[in-house]
Amino acid sequence: GMVLYEKNADEALPPASVTKVMTLLLVMEALDAGQYALTDMVTVSAHAASMGGSQVFLKEGETMSVEEMVKCVVISSANDCACALAEHIAGSESAFVSMMNERAQELGMTDTVYVNCTGLPVEGQHTTARDVALLSCQMCTHPEYFTYGAVWMDTLTHPSGRVTDLTNTNRLVRFYDGCDGLKTGSADDSKYCLSCTAEKNGMRLIAVVLGASASQTRFN
């Protein structure tokens, strides 16, 4: 929670898929509260299957466990899985977005507004580097997240037997010793974004970059 360095930390910017840190936090909190289990099965709606962007190409009516969907969101930033989880928890994406905004206020994220659960470009959705850092600190209190966050490559086997390869969008997981999360994002409006964390010798640090001009720039 201690700020070591900041620059334009309160500039409101579109966060792209860094939005999913909040989506995943609400999923983790629901699991901790016993509302759902990792083994619960989720049925994919037409809305979730239609997300586009980063996805694992879920089909409407397909069922998959909460754990598999969480893995896909963390590693591959899967929009379809993020939306399916949101609907599973709140009944609809819009109801889940209300939960996201409420939780943001509780965490003191005063310059954040969510409009969807994926980070896909949409008018009115914005956050700040400071708010993402607050959110990321909270996510790091859920050690089970790192089971997925530290994975570089994996596979997803669909009920049909079809296999989708998963590669972590966060290159630092592979190339920076100790990095085990959190989330990348990129879109035309947001450019290249990253919230990342690493732990070495018992110290955990978090770094947030929003609006970088190139993908490698945010990792540098």
Side-chain angles (χ1 to χ4, degrees):
M2 182 192 300
V3 177
L4 304 179
Y5 172 85
E6 65 178 68
K7 178 184 177 185
N8 302 332
D10 298 308
E11 183 180 353
L13 295 165
S17 282
V18 173
T19 295
K20 295 190 185 86
V21 180
M22 177 60 86
T23 301
L24 288 162
L25 177 64
L26 292 180
V27 171
M28 292 295 172
E29 290 179 342
L31 288 166
D32 284 353
Q35 297 169 351
Y36 307 95
L38 286 171
T39 52
D40 286 359
M41 300 304 289
V42 180
T43 301
V44 180
S45 70
H47 177 59
S50 74
M51 284 293 102
S54 301
Q55 57 183 317
V56 291
F57 303 100
L58 299 178
K59 308 288 188 194
E60 181 184 355
E62 188 175 338
T63 59
M64 193 170 290
S65 70
V66 169
E67 182 169 25
E68 289 284 84
M69 287 195 171
V70 168
K71 181 174 77 171
C72 292
V73 176
V74 174
I75 299 173
S76 289
S77 196
N79 293 318
D80 42 6
C81 289
C83 186
L85 286 168
E87 292 175 339
H88 185 67
I89 287 174
S92 68
E93 184 182 11
S94 60
F96 188 83
V97 169
S98 296
M99 292 171 60
M100 293 170 71
N101 285 310
E102 183 177 335
R103 192 73 181 99
Q105 291 305 305
E106 290 171 0
L107 291 172
M109 299 167 62
T110 54
D111 295 311
T112 296
V113 175
Y114 294 114
V115 180
N116 62 36
C117 69
T118 58
L120 283 164
V122 61
E123 189 172 347
Q125 185 149 284
H126 60 82
T127 189
T128 65
R130 189 184 311 281
D131 281 3
V132 174
L134 285 170
L135 172 61
S136 299
C137 284
Q138 190 65 32
M139 177 58 92
C140 288
T141 66
H142 294 271
E144 63 273 24
Y145 163 83
F146 299 108
T147 305
Y148 317 99
V151 175
W152 172 240
M153 297 183 80
D154 206 335
T155 57
L156 170 71
T157 302
H158 296 262
S160 64
R162 179 168 55 96
V163 177
T164 301
D165 291 327
L166 308 176
T167 302
N168 203 318
T169 55
N170 181 3
R171 290 172 56 82
L172 294 179
V173 168
R174 181 180 180 190
F175 295 109
Y176 186 86
D177 182 38
C179 181
D180 49 11
L182 285 152
K183 195 75 202 69
T184 62
S186 61
D188 288 345
D189 64 339
S190 63
K191 300 181 183 173
Y192 295 92
C193 306
L194 174 69
S195 175
C196 58
T197 183
E199 187 173 36
K200 291 183 185 180
N201 303 318
M203 176 190 282
R204 178 169 293 282
L205 298 180
I206 291 167
V208 179
V209 180
L210 301 180
S213 58
S215 178
Q216 190 57 42
T217 303
R218 61 183 165 179
F219 296 129
N220 291 345

